[in-house]
Amino acid sequence: MAEYDYDLFTIGAGSGGVRASRVAAAHGARVAVAEEYRVGGTCVIRGCVPKKMLVYGAHFAEDLEDAKHFGWDIPEAKFDWVKLRDNVLNDVDRLNGLYTQTLTNNEVEIFHERATITGPHEVTLSSGEKKTAKYILIATGARPLVPSCPGHELGITSNEAFHLDAIPSRVLIAGAGYIANEFAGIFNEFGANVTIINRSDQVLRGYDESVRDRLLQISIAKGIAFRFNAEFEKIEKNDDGSLRVSMTNHDPMDLDCVLFATGRVPNIDGLGLENVGVEIDGKGAIRVDAHSKTSVDHIYAVGDVTNRVQLTPVAIREGQAFSDTVFGGKPSTVDYSCIPSAVFSHPPIAAVGMTEDEAREKLGAIKVYTSDFRPMKNVVAHRDERSLYKMICDAETDQVVGLHMIGPEAPEIMQAAAIAVKAKLTKADFDATVAVHPTMSEELVLLK
């Protein structure tokens, strides 16, 4: 009789947990997964994937207007939020089924309930059933952070934004990170009056200052308002059902919806980590080593719950590396350097490597090349909106150490360009590449 019920018990069936469980099973391990909500996690169910579908829907608002300048006679267009919402949620259902099928096809047992660690090698399901495992993997991700001001329960988070019955007329979005700017662009294109409130006077902290400033300029031109250096004091419900928000340094606002996009925190509450001595760091994340092992030898953690780099592809790589290390006999770690990222704002931003400020601090002497241009489509469409591409190079070696872009399709272009930056190619390598003309991406090999 086996010493344990399973070789691996995974808590959380998001991107990292699914990959780790599937790969471990492929290596011959007996695997079970507990998921209290739906298989697929934040990205698939209530994050990147449905958000990107809403972004696609929002782009049609300007595309339909632009089409008129390209000779198309467009009748008055009407937007149906409920139809888009339901189509997106239907596709989420489809993806949930595919992720579930992936696990079952690999003979991973799924428990659709919450699991808590109650012993060194033991988890207890919400039904009361106890299971044992040689290894336990925590992959419970992160959850939205909600400010603790009076009336905060009257607001929503990105989780609920996908299920709204209608687009609110007046929306206040708290925060200025990627989630805030993405939903600001979405709601604005759908006709809402959007205001972003932020504690500081910056948007998208961590991205290069040039592209951040360009997004702010474009967002204001599109009608998105900003209230900087403002913190919530209270949220109250008016007699007509609307909300009144009081904040520091600004007058109160009457709104129809408050969306909190003030960051995400590791989802560790109620996991029972204290029962087995799993260490937590100062930011509330599970402390792990390079192989994703916690302070307890047989307990590991991957993904946003560790707060290393909160990106879906990173969680997937961590899950793969964990299973290859523990069950595949191939010790593996994740390289966290030079990870590309994108903000699906309106227009989108993409980046890889160091910002100009980071490069100056680390390298000292650098060279900066830019292209500030108006995309061809915008010229015909009579739009003044300009794109900006920026390349940061080590002045001594000519190596490209950072690439930053804002403009149409920037994330699609960045995926290929990031390979060159990761491979430590030089500005001369870019210059030696013949341009694909006429494209926006050719600006990368024509930077001055």
Side-chain angles (χ1 to χ4, degrees):
M1 183 175 178
E3 183 180 359
Y4 303 106
D5 298 325
Y6 305 98
D7 299 309
L8 171 66
F9 196 103
T10 301
I11 303 177
S15 298
V18 168
R19 175 59 66 91
S21 299
R22 177 180 68 77
V23 174
H27 285 315
R30 296 167 300 138
V31 183
V33 174
E35 172 55 58
E36 65 178 332
Y37 185 48
R38 305 182 74 185
V39 176
T42 295
C43 179
V44 172
I45 305 301
R46 52 188 177 271
C48 341
V49 173
K51 179 270 312 286
K52 185 67 179 294
M53 294 177 186
L54 296 186
V55 169
Y56 282 134
H59 271 291
F60 282 105
E62 290 186 356
D63 289 344
L64 289 168
E65 285 297 316
D66 292 349
K68 298 175 184 177
H69 295 285
F70 286 86
W72 290 93
D73 183 12
I74 305 292
E76 183 179 357
K78 295 182 179 179
F79 173 63
D80 187 337
W81 160 253
V82 173
K83 179 176 288 188
L84 173 60
R85 180 201 66 189
D86 291 350
N87 285 343
V88 169
L89 294 179
N90 287 340
D91 202 61
V92 168
D93 290 341
R94 180 184 67 84
L95 293 170
N96 171 240
L98 289 176
Y99 272 70
T100 301
Q101 186 177 11
T102 293
L103 292 176
T104 55
N105 286 349
N106 284 274
E107 299 183 346
V108 175
E109 188 171 358
I110 304 173
F111 295 97
H112 294 282
E113 52 187 308
R114 184 174 180 82
T116 303
I117 300 174
T118 51
H121 291 270
E122 179 188 82
V123 298
T124 300
L125 301 172
S126 57
S127 62
E129 190 175 4
K130 296 182 183 297
K131 300 292 181 181
T132 60
K134 184 176 182 180
Y135 294 98
I136 296 173
L137 176 67
I138 303 167
T140 49
R143 68 179 188 277
L145 174 64
V146 176
S148 58
C149 71
H152 65 83
E153 70 279 359
L154 297 172
I156 66 171
T157 70
S158 56
N159 289 353
E160 295 79 39
F162 298 105
H163 300 271
L164 290 171
D165 292 329
I167 295 296
S169 296
R170 301 165 298 176
V171 181
L172 179 67
I173 300 178
Y178 70 95
I179 296 175
N181 281 280
E182 288 170 345
F183 273 103
I186 290 168
F187 285 133
N188 180 66
E189 294 301 322
F190 289 156
N193 187 318
V194 179
T195 301
I196 286 180
I197 174 177
N198 194 38
R199 292 183 301 174
S200 73
D201 59 358
Q202 294 182 350
V203 299
L204 291 174
R205 183 167 50 88
Y207 280 85
D208 192 85
E209 185 175 359
S210 298
V211 296
R212 291 193 282 115
D213 287 347
R214 179 60 56 88
L215 178 63
L216 179 60
Q217 294 166 11
I218 293 174
S219 296
I220 292 173
K222 289 180 183 293
I224 298 172
F226 291 82
R227 289 195 171 189
F228 291 121
N229 300 311
E231 295 193 44
F232 283 92
E233 292 181 331
K234 61 182 176 179
I235 305 174
E236 302 169 289
K237 181 168 282 190
N238 295 322
D239 293 339
D240 63 359
S242 63
L243 303 177
R244 169 156 289 196
V245 177
S246 300
M247 62 194 78
T248 60
N249 299 320
H250 296 273
D251 293 333
M253 295 183 69
D254 289 324
L255 303 139
D256 301 296
C257 177
V258 175
L259 170 61
F260 293 117
T262 47
R264 298 177 64 81
V265 293
N267 193 24
I268 63 170
D269 292 355
L271 286 178
L273 303 181
E274 66 283 357
N275 295 330
V276 288
V278 172
E279 291 183 5
I280 306 300
D281 67 18
K283 295 183 178 180
I286 296 177
R287 194 188 302 277
V288 293
D289 65 13
H291 291 285
S292 295
K293 185 167 68 175
T294 72
S295 55
V296 180
D297 281 347
H298 62 278
I299 299 179
Y300 289 70
V302 298
D304 292 359
V305 75
T306 66
N307 200 26
R308 285 174 282 188
V309 177
Q310 289 193 354
L311 291 172
T312 295
V314 173
I316 291 172
R317 289 195 174 220
E318 289 172 353
Q320 177 84 42
F322 156 76
S323 291
D324 285 345
T325 298
V326 175
F327 298 104
K330 186 174 70 173
S332 305
T333 58
V334 175
D335 180 3
Y336 294 96
S337 66
C338 215
I339 295 174
S341 64
V343 181
F344 293 98
S345 47
H346 203 90
I349 287 173
V352 67
M354 289 186 276
T355 66
E356 181 177 347
D357 289 344
E358 290 169 344
R360 289 192 189 282
E361 183 177 344
K362 184 174 182 179
L363 303 176
I366 63 172
K367 292 182 179 180
V368 179
Y369 303 88
T370 61
S371 178
D372 190 333
F373 64 97
R374 191 179 176 198
M376 185 183 298
K377 180 186 174 185
N378 286 354
V379 175
V380 178
H382 298 173
R383 290 192 179 276
D384 294 329
E385 187 176 304
R386 300 180 66 85
S387 296
L388 176 64
Y389 293 2
K390 184 174 183 179
M391 177 182 285
I392 318 296
C393 297
D394 185 328
E396 183 177 343
T397 64
D398 197 41
Q399 179 187 331
V400 180
V401 297
L403 199 57
H404 309 274
M405 307 164 60
I406 178 170
E409 307 302 334
E412 301 291 345
I413 298 168
M414 181 58 74
Q415 181 64 84
I419 298 172
V421 180
K422 181 72 172 177
K424 301 182 179 180
L425 299 189
T426 63
K427 176 67 163 63
D429 292 318
F430 276 76
D431 292 343
T433 304
V434 176
V436 178
H437 181 75
T439 65
M440 291 180 292
S441 58
E442 69 179 301
E443 297 296 329
L444 289 176
V445 300
L446 301 173
L447 289 164
K448 303 297 183 184

